[in-house]
């Protein structure tokens, strides 16, 4: 049996690297991928910062990768060894009603947790339910600049997730949009809102480097205030409530902020993994505020528009990666994101 390097969660504040068995084909629709680039997601930090009720030494929560197909199961017809692919964090089937409606992030045939990935911070991964979900990239990795590889990697999750927030909030041409959260998903939500024709995009952020990046990506204003003061400032800038708010954090305070900035009849798209209890819907009822969101439709968005937008140079979401690490530096990659020394950690895998 061959051994490979893979990251493991040990305890809050500590990731480790271990030698493990190289993954093998277990089912006819499996694909083995040699990882060339992976990264750390904001959702990974919930465990890293606080433990998140996670047992010691489980496989890492990493779920974003690009790589080369090395082996395929007997039922795989869409990719072959040597293909360059994006490995999404979702595993839709492409056939159920949810997938046909463009919600492969909540595939009816592959319900959670089997529709979600983990263990991608590794030299190799087994991608299950691979026949439809994998996204093939033209050419080989060496055909692309490092900057382009970064943008391709965002298509495994954060760019698609930012787009999902805008889609769920029904952002359309001319809309006034507010983005809550200045991490990688929030930055990508700014890009998505611009793609969908928003006329004004306000980012709620307190960090100068993140504000600057968002303004370069299409944001038209920044609001640092929070709570009622922040809501008042947003409404002043927009001349009233927003048509849509994109919640990209997952905390109760950020969701309440999103609900507070939209006008009556507005829409909230939420994609931050919820880390709070029930939400009082009385305000939504009184103001006719629509809420929708959840796990992003990665494969659908990549195949329909995002991969082409990246390849054509229309969007450059890879700029959310502001520091680069080797797989051996995985703990530092987590720590620097936790300490806000980088927006998103980019990991080069040898």
């Amino acid at each position: 049996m061959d051994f490979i390097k893979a990251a493991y969660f040990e305890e809050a504040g500590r990731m480790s690297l271990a030698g493990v068995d190289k993954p093998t084909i277990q089912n006819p629709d499996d694909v083995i991928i040699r990882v060339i680039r992976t990264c750390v997601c904001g959702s990974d930090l919930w465990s890293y910062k606080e433990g998140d009720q996670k047992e010691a030494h489980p496989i890492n929560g990493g779920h974003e990768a690009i790589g080369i197909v090395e082996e395929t199961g007997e039922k795989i017809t869409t990719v072959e060894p040597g293909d360059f692919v994006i490995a999404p964090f979702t595993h839709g089937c492409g056939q159920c009603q949810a997938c046909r409606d463009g919600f492969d992030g909540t595939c009816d045939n592959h319900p959670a947790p089997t529709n979600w990935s983990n263990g991608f911070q590794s030299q190799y991964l087994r991608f299950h339910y691979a026949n439809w979900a994998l996204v093939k990239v033209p050419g080989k990795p060496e055909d692309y600049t490092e900057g382009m590889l970064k943008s391709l990697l965002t298509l495994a999750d954060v760019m698609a997730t930012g787009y999902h927030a805008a889609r769920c909030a029904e952002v359309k041409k001319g809309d006034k949009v507010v983005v809550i959260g200045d991490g990688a998903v929030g930055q990508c939500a700014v890009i998505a809102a611009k793609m969908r024709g928003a006329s004004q995009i306000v980012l709620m952020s307190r960090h100068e480097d993140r504000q600057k990046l968002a303004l370069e990506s299409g944001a038209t204003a920044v609001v640092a205030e929070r709570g009622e003061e922040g809501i008042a400032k947003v409404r002043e800038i927009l001349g009233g409530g927003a048509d849509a708010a994109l919640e990209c954090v997952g905390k109760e305070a950020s969701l309440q902020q999103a609900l507070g900035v939209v006008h009556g009849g507005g829409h909230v798209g939420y994609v931050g993994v919820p880390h709070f209890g029930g939400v009082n819907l009385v305000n939504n009822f009184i103001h006719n505020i629509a809420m929708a969101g959840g796990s992003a439709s990665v494969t659908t968005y990549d195949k329909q528009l995002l991969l082409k937008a990246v390849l054509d140079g229309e969007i450059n979401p890879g700029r959310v990666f502001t520091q680069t690490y080797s797989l051996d530096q995985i703990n530092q990659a987590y720590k620097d994101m936790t300490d806000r020394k980088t927006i998103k950690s980019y990991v080069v895998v040898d």
Side-chain angles (χ1 to χ4, degrees):
M1 176 67 71
D2 294 331
F3 289 94
I4 64 166
K5 293 179 181 179
Y8 278 81
F9 170 84
E10 297 297 347
E11 60 184 359
R14 186 162 68 96
M15 296 292 294
S16 68
L17 209 60
V20 298
D21 292 341
K22 181 180 175 181
T24 59
I25 298 291
Q26 297 180 26
N27 297 301
D29 55 356
D30 284 349
V31 166
I32 304 301
I33 297 171
R34 176 172 63 83
V35 178
I36 63 165
R37 301 291 187 272
T38 185
C39 55
V40 180
C41 181
S43 62
D44 296 331
L45 300 185
W46 289 105
S47 297
Y48 185 78
K49 287 191 295 186
E50 303 170 13
D52 214 13
Q53 299 180 335
K54 201 170 185 178
E55 294 182 5
H57 204 67
I59 192 71
N60 64 82
H63 48 262
E64 304 157 89
I66 54 176
I68 304 297
V69 173
E70 185 167 278
E71 186 179 358
T72 62
E74 61 185 23
K75 289 188 177 180
I76 297 297
T77 60
T78 54
V79 296
E80 59 186 29
D83 282 348
F84 180 26
V85 294
I86 298 164
F89 82 92
T90 51
H91 299 252
C93 70
Q95 306 298 321
C96 69
Q97 191 61 53
C99 286
R100 291 199 302 271
D101 287 346
F103 288 97
D104 58 271
T106 44
C107 173
D108 288 331
N109 287 331
H110 306 153
T114 67
N115 191 34
W116 298 334
S117 300
N118 64 9
F120 281 15
Q121 292 157 4
S122 175
Q123 290 177 309
Y124 285 83
L125 63 90
R126 178 179 73 92
F127 194 92
H128 56 278
Y129 304 137
N131 212 29
W132 181 81
L134 282 176
V135 179
K136 188 175 177 180
V137 180
K140 304 296 181 185
E142 52 267 28
D143 298 332
Y144 298 94
T145 65
E146 200 64 50
M148 184 63 82
L149 292 178
K150 289 178 179 179
S151 283
L152 291 170
L153 180 56
T154 67
L155 302 189
D157 181 353
V158 288
M159 186 59 232
T161 297
Y163 191 86
H164 193 60
R167 177 202 176 187
C168 288
E170 299 186 13
V171 174
K172 60 187 182 299
K173 187 175 181 179
D175 274 359
K176 300 175 181 181
V177 177
V178 179
V179 176
I180 294 95
D182 61 4
V185 173
Q187 299 289 336
C188 290
V190 169
I191 296 172
K194 183 179 180 182
M195 290 178 73
R196 293 177 67 94
S199 62
Q200 291 178 266
I201 306 170
V202 178
L203 175 73
M204 303 199 76
S205 167
R206 293 171 169 167
H207 304 92
E208 186 175 348
D209 59 332
R210 298 167 187 237
Q211 296 170 357
K212 182 175 183 292
L213 180 59
L215 290 168
E216 291 171 352
S217 296
T220 56
V222 171
V223 170
E225 293 84 356
R226 291 290 183 271
E228 292 302 321
E229 185 181 2
I231 291 170
K233 185 71 176 290
V234 167
R235 288 176 172 267
E236 178 186 349
I237 291 171
L238 297 181
D243 301 301
L246 314 184
E247 193 283 313
C248 304
V249 180
K251 292 184 177 180
E252 184 174 2
S254 60
L255 182 58
Q256 293 302 331
Q257 196 86 98
L259 293 170
V261 298
V262 295
H263 59 64
H267 292 74
V268 173
Y270 59 96
V271 293
V273 179
H275 277 69
F276 53 86
V279 175
N280 189 333
L281 298 179
V282 172
N283 186 62
N284 302 48
F285 180 85
I286 293 172
H287 298 287
N288 276 291
I289 296 173
M291 289 180 59
S295 184
S297 308
V298 181
T299 302
T300 295
Y301 300 150
D302 285 357
K303 290 182 177 181
Q304 287 185 351
L305 76 159
L306 293 182
L307 177 57
K308 185 178 187 301
V310 165
L311 294 178
D312 290 350
E314 296 175 5
I315 60 173
N316 182 19
R319 293 190 304 156
V320 300
F321 293 112
T322 52
Q323 295 289 344
T324 299
Y325 306 83
S326 68
L327 187 59
D328 290 340
Q329 297 172 309
I330 192 65
N331 189 67
Q332 194 65 44
Y334 272 75
K335 186 176 188 303
D336 286 353
M337 273 187 72
T338 301
D339 295 341
R340 293 187 178 273
K341 293 181 179 180
T342 180
I343 297 176
K344 189 170 177 66
S345 296
Y346 181 69
V347 180
V348 175
V349 182
D350 295 327

